[in-house]
Amino acid sequence: MISSLSGSSRVFGIMGHPVRHSLSPAMQNAALQACGLDGVYVPFDVRPERLGEAVAGLRALGVGGVNVTIPHKTGIVQYLDELDESAEAAGAVNTVKNDNGRMVGYNTDGDGLLRSLAEDFAFSPKNSSVVIIGAGGAACGAIAALCRAGARRIEIVNRSVDKAASLAAAMEERYPGTVLAVTGFGTGLAPILQGAGLVVNTTSLGMKDETIAGLEPEALHHEAIIYDMVYAPPVTPLLLEAQRLGLRHANGLGMLAAQGELAFRIWTGMLPPRGLMGRVLAGISAQ
Ligand code: NAP
């Protein structure tokens, strides 16, 4: 790929701190190559206090676009010229496009989740009833995308109930077509789960073998889907439980690939070959 770079190569990248564990360079470079595009995608390790300079640098150097990851997803907003509805609703940016010097922020996490659910389960959010575990950045993106796609009801279950309540109120104001409700952790969740078609874990619980207090998937309908945004380890205790009960389930690798595909389309106008990014990620996570 490097040997094919030229004087007119476009540069893309990811800004985070730290960024060396990111899987995005592998999947984005594979996509550039597969689409025959003259470009390269590189990691940029940017300290929070230098974020403003970094964005000015992207503009000055004509970098085509970047992904944005922890800890910059909200901090970068103040340095951008415009926010797409996806980023404004989520209150966070994971993709920036340099549109002739105008830096535009997007959030492809939520639509990435929906794309993964559509591809893996043919799930349509229209009129659905969804339980979202968590009320952080990943939850905001997911809830906003579900509301835009016509979800009927979303129940947010979170440790900090106040935080979930503010999020629910903000989303209901923006998307009045969806009913939002809030429940705390630890209380019996069975009545909420009974009517749900989809449960999404947006917390980091499961990365270290933790279970989610009060979440008993036995209460779910047999056609319900359990989606865990965690992808390392590939099988969390929640997914193990879904497996045991014979429920449809997936980890967050599909979403990671899909948010990358949507970012790639924002920058290049093209989608990578179907399944390519997912195969790259699966190859890395199997190592
Ligand atoms: P965040 O903004 O820090 O939010 C963390 C959420 O997890 C909050 O709701 C927090 O509850 C909850 N939480 C954390 N530790 C907890 C504990 N010990 N007990 C109960 N609740 C706990 O983080 P984020 O950006 O939303 O990311 C969350 C997870 O999603 C991460 O694991 C991240 O890797 C994953 N993610 C995956 C993808 C993907 O493509 N697959 C994309 C984005 C994020 P409180 O509000 O009570 O603190």
Side-chain angles (χ1 to χ4, degrees):
M1 180 238 324
I2 296 299
S3 61
S4 71
L5 292 178
S6 72
S8 49
S9 296
R10 295 177 74 197
V11 177
F12 305 94
I14 179 163
M15 299 203 310
H17 181 69
V19 81
R20 67 180 175 282
H21 299 298
S22 172
L23 304 178
S24 293
M27 62 180 191
Q28 293 290 352
N29 280 314
L32 286 167
Q33 198 171 16
C35 291
L37 295 175
D38 181 7
V40 66
Y41 183 104
V42 290
F44 297 118
D45 191 328
V46 177
R47 291 185 167 278
E49 65 274 16
R50 307 208 65 177
L51 187 57
E53 285 173 81
V55 175
L58 298 176
R59 194 184 276 116
L61 292 168
V63 170
V66 288
N67 283 126
V68 182
T69 188
I70 292 168
H72 303 317
K73 285 187 174 187
T74 51
I76 198 165
V77 169
Q78 61 184 307
Y79 302 114
L80 302 178
D81 300 307
E82 189 182 328
L83 291 185
D84 175 70
E85 160 74 15
S86 58
E88 204 170 286
V93 166
N94 82 333
T95 301
V96 175
K97 181 180 182 184
N98 181 353
D99 195 1
N100 293 316
R102 193 167 172 75
M103 307 305 270
V104 186
Y106 298 79
N107 192 312
T108 66
D109 278 339
D111 285 333
L113 169 68
L114 298 193
R115 187 171 164 82
S116 173
L117 284 164
E119 285 187 353
D120 293 346
F121 304 110
F123 174 82
S124 164
K126 188 98 188 138
N127 293 323
S128 61
S129 179
V130 181
V131 174
I132 296 282
I133 315 290
C140 288
I143 293 168
L146 283 160
C147 290
R148 280 197 298 278
R152 179 173 46 82
R153 181 183 168 87
I154 299 177
E155 184 89 29
I156 308 174
V157 179
N158 198 44
R159 178 177 59 180
S160 316
V161 178
D162 290 354
K163 188 165 143 191
S166 315
L167 174 59
M171 289 293 170
E172 233 168 17
E173 193 178 334
R174 185 176 276 272
Y175 301 113
T178 304
V179 174
L180 283 113
V182 169
T183 305
F185 257 53
T187 42
L189 300 177
I192 294 162
L193 295 176
Q194 273 157 14
L198 170 69
V199 177
V200 185
N201 175 36
T202 75
T203 74
S204 48
L205 293 173
M207 291 180 80
K208 294 182 182 152
D209 217 30
E210 312 95 320
T211 52
I212 299 170
L215 184 61
E216 291 136 8
E218 284 90 347
L220 285 165
H221 188 270
H222 69 277
E223 284 184 353
I225 298 165
I226 296 190
Y227 199 99
D228 200 333
M229 284 195 192
V230 172
Y231 50 82
V235 185
T236 60
L238 176 62
L239 294 183
L240 208 58
E241 190 61 4
Q243 239 169 44
R244 186 181 71 75
L245 294 166
L247 293 169
R248 295 185 293 166
H249 60 279
N251 67 24
L253 268 188
M255 174 179 169
L256 188 64
Q259 63 76 31
E261 290 168 349
L262 296 175
F264 187 88
R265 185 172 64 183
I266 287 168
W267 301 323
T268 67
M270 298 170 77
L271 274 174
R274 196 180 163 90
L276 172 78
M277 287 190 172
R279 285 194 297 279
V280 171
L281 291 180
I284 296 171
S285 72
Q287 283 167 14

